[in-house]
Amino acid sequence: MKKGNTVVIVGAQWGDEGKGKIVDVLSENFDCVARYAGGHNAGHTVIIKGQKFVLQLIPCGVLREGRKSVIGNGVVLDPFAFMKEVNSLKGMGVKLDGHLFVSNRAQVILPYHRMIELAAENAPGRVKIGTTSRGIGPAYEDKMKRSGLRVVDLLNKELLKTHIENACREKNLIAHALFNSDPLDPDTMFREYSDIAEQVRPFVTDTAELLNKALSAGQSIMFEGAQGTMLDIDHGTYPFVTSSSATSGGAVIGTGVAPTAINTVVGVTKAYCTRVGGGPFPTELQDSLGEAIRKRGNEFGAVTGRPRRCGWVDLPLLRYSAMINGVSWWVVTKLDVLDELAEVPVCVAYKVNGKKTTAIPADAGTFDKIECVYETLPGWKTSTEGITEFDKLPKKAQDYLRFLEKESGARIGMVSTGPDRDQTMFMEGFRSVVGQSESHTAVQRR
């Protein structure tokens, strides 16, 4: 593996681009895999020789023996969800002890976070943004309010008891006044969280120190994003966004490594586009074709099971994502899902109030006025499933990928042609970026 190499893997659109598989495929080339944002509202599905792993909090690096996997300070941790995932993975034979680490500075999700989020999302007159109601947003709210509970505090019984008593007093009043919610019992909560804290304790460390020591020793790190660029709290389709920094910049904030430590940013995009939850989606297909793509692509949330909205690749959005993240390489996933189509439209520009533009609006209201300008490419009507060499793809599939690369502002480094780890194509030049020898597998370039 390439020593000292650092790569950030980021979703190009609204998440669900298939980052889990990509992180898993590439993790064999890195000493550490670090998750830097989000909570157990993010899901990564990895399939290895037919066996399915669904990861919510734990980085995909745990599926590679000998790698260190880190949950960074930018993540919000539900300790019960974490231990459930730990025990599930151990039951599947995954070795975690001594390989999985949780930041002592990560924020903790508590029951009142879920109570408030669920009540607020269902409050009369509120615009639904499609949250998972797992307490992610309110936990980040408390973090920014400087009233949150960190993992290091979870392990201090005296501090934990005081925090829960004070928080329940405040949150129960708020929830009852605004939503008429039933109060939570602080004594029960303390007992439950005091017990789970001891199960979490063996995994807790100063992960910023761990990662920086690894870099100083010349070890390589891959930073694993959650959600996608357009769900970023600052740069996404606000207010239909998540509560954390989902862009590549979040890797620095959410782990404690320096900006100068990042070598490369790799963006992940499907060969089409999806979104789960509410909010703008200019290229969405609200017809039988959208339903067919959803069914063929198995487009249902890994964590929630919610059906994903499906549409075409949006080049203005892809270019924006490349700019915001500093993407130099794309990974294109689920190419095989388009195999049966006679033609594949791609959005190349927008029209807003009759004027052509490629700018991404800052406000959701302007998104609602967008008319997409499409360029239609011919489909290939031939199976690409499992193909691992570019020259063996149908010519029209090659042309489609060439078009996306030419128009998007970054090179294509990998293409996924199926859900399994082995159904992956590497392009020339990309292996050296991720620390692999070009001779690792035969590589074909257009």
Side-chain angles (χ1 to χ4, degrees):
M1 59 186 67
K2 188 177 177 182
K3 293 299 180 182
N5 190 29
T6 55
V7 173
V8 181
I9 308 294
V10 66
Q13 292 102 4
W14 290 282
D16 305 311
E17 295 93 352
K19 297 183 298 298
K21 172 186 168 174
I22 303 311
V23 171
D24 171 64
V25 169
L26 297 180
S27 60
E28 68 170 327
N29 311 309
F30 293 85
D31 298 293
C32 307
V33 179
R35 166 86 178 271
Y36 61 82
H40 64 307
N41 58 336
H44 287 164
T45 301
V46 178
I47 299 175
I48 305 170
K49 300 189 184 304
Q51 187 174 17
K52 184 177 180 181
F53 299 84
V54 178
L55 303 171
Q56 297 180 23
L57 274 165
I58 297 176
C60 297
V62 296
L63 302 179
R64 293 284 186 181
E65 192 170 347
R67 304 306 187 266
K68 292 178 180 177
S69 292
V70 170
I71 295 175
N73 57 274
V75 175
V76 286
L77 185 95
D78 182 321
F80 289 92
F82 172 71
M83 288 310 306
K84 181 179 179 182
E85 196 169 338
V86 164
N87 293 329
S88 174
L89 287 170
K90 284 184 175 180
M92 299 174 81
V94 179
K95 297 178 182 178
L96 299 179
D97 296 339
H99 300 288
L100 175 62
F101 304 90
V102 175
S103 172
N104 53 9
R105 291 177 170 84
Q107 296 280 322
V108 178
I109 297 174
L110 290 123
Y112 49 75
H113 293 132
R114 293 190 294 272
M115 173 182 72
I116 287 174
E117 184 171 37
L118 183 63
E121 182 75 355
N122 292 302
R126 178 182 169 93
V127 176
K128 292 185 182 296
I129 60 175
T131 73
T132 57
S133 298
R134 298 190 172 202
I136 309 298
Y140 277 115
E141 286 178 32
D142 278 359
K143 174 181 179 176
M144 292 306 178
K145 232 171 42 170
R146 301 179 301 280
S147 62
L149 183 80
R150 299 189 301 171
V151 169
V152 67
D153 306 321
L154 177 70
L155 305 181
N156 183 325
K157 289 190 188 305
E158 186 177 341
L159 195 154
L160 175 64
K161 184 174 178 60
T162 301
H163 180 93
I164 286 176
E165 287 174 349
N166 291 338
C168 280
R169 193 178 301 117
E170 174 193 337
K171 306 296 184 183
N172 280 338
L173 283 172
I174 293 171
H176 179 73
L178 295 180
F179 313 116
N180 199 31
S181 298
D182 293 332
L184 295 169
D185 177 21
D187 293 331
T188 300
M189 192 185 305
F190 171 70
R191 286 195 301 272
E192 292 174 349
Y193 276 76
S194 182
D195 290 343
I196 199 71
E198 295 309 310
Q199 298 179 48
V200 174
R201 188 184 293 274
F203 300 99
V204 178
T205 192
D206 186 333
T207 55
E209 183 180 32
L210 183 153
L211 291 170
N212 279 287
K213 281 184 175 179
L215 288 173
S216 296
Q219 294 184 356
S220 54
I221 302 175
M222 178 164 54
F223 299 92
E224 175 182 340
Q227 287 95 27
T229 301
M230 301 310 295
L231 289 177
D232 183 88
I233 186 67
D234 289 299
H235 303 288
T237 49
Y238 192 89
F240 301 94
V241 292
T242 192
S243 301
S244 58
S245 298
T247 52
S248 59
V252 172
I253 298 167
T255 62
V257 302
T260 51
I262 305 300
N263 298 140
T264 308
V265 178
V266 175
V268 185
T269 175
K270 285 175 182 161
Y272 48 102
C273 193
T274 62
R275 176 168 196 164
V276 68
F281 186 178
T283 65
E284 182 176 9
L285 288 164
Q286 296 178 311
D287 56 14
S288 59
L289 182 52
E291 179 61 36
I293 292 174
R294 179 184 300 116
K295 184 176 180 180
R296 182 168 168 79
N298 191 28
E299 296 295 353
F300 300 90
V303 173
T304 64
R306 290 186 295 177
R308 297 177 186 139
R309 300 151 65 190
C310 297
W312 304 119
V313 166
D314 184 330
L315 283 172
L317 191 147
L318 209 54
R319 295 187 201 106
Y320 174 80
S321 183
M323 175 184 73
I324 292 296
N325 291 296
V327 171
S328 51
W329 293 89
W330 295 120
V331 174
V332 179
T333 63
K334 293 197 171 184
L335 180 69
D336 55 300
V337 173
L338 303 182
D339 285 349
E340 297 178 355
L341 301 183
E343 56 184 29
V344 185
V346 177
C347 175
V348 295
Y350 301 147
K351 278 187 179 179
V352 179
N353 297 325
K355 295 182 178 179
K356 194 172 180 180
T357 180
T358 57
I360 302 299
D363 61 308
T366 302
F367 261 107
D368 293 338
K369 300 174 184 177
I370 284 176
E371 297 177 51
C372 291
V373 178
Y374 288 101
E375 185 166 333
T376 300
L377 282 72
W380 39 97
K381 299 285 287 181
T382 306
S383 176
T384 62
E385 186 174 1
I387 294 177
T388 58
E389 296 179 34
F390 184 81
D391 286 354
K392 292 185 178 179
L393 287 174
K395 176 67 165 53
K396 290 174 181 176
Q398 294 181 30
D399 292 343
Y400 180 67
L401 292 172
R402 285 194 188 107
F403 180 80
L404 295 185
E405 183 176 67
K406 178 184 175 184
E407 299 294 331
S408 65
R411 292 177 65 184
I412 293 176
M414 282 176 65
V415 180
S416 173
T417 55
D420 201 272
R421 178 186 278 176
D422 297 329
Q423 295 174 311
T424 309
M425 179 188 310
F426 281 80
M427 309 302 246
E428 182 183 353
F430 187 64
R431 288 190 183 280
S432 61
V433 171
V434 295
Q436 265 187 352
S437 167
E438 290 291 345
S439 61
H440 187 82
T441 301
V443 177
Q444 301 292 328
R445 183 63 179 171
R446 36 226 184 269

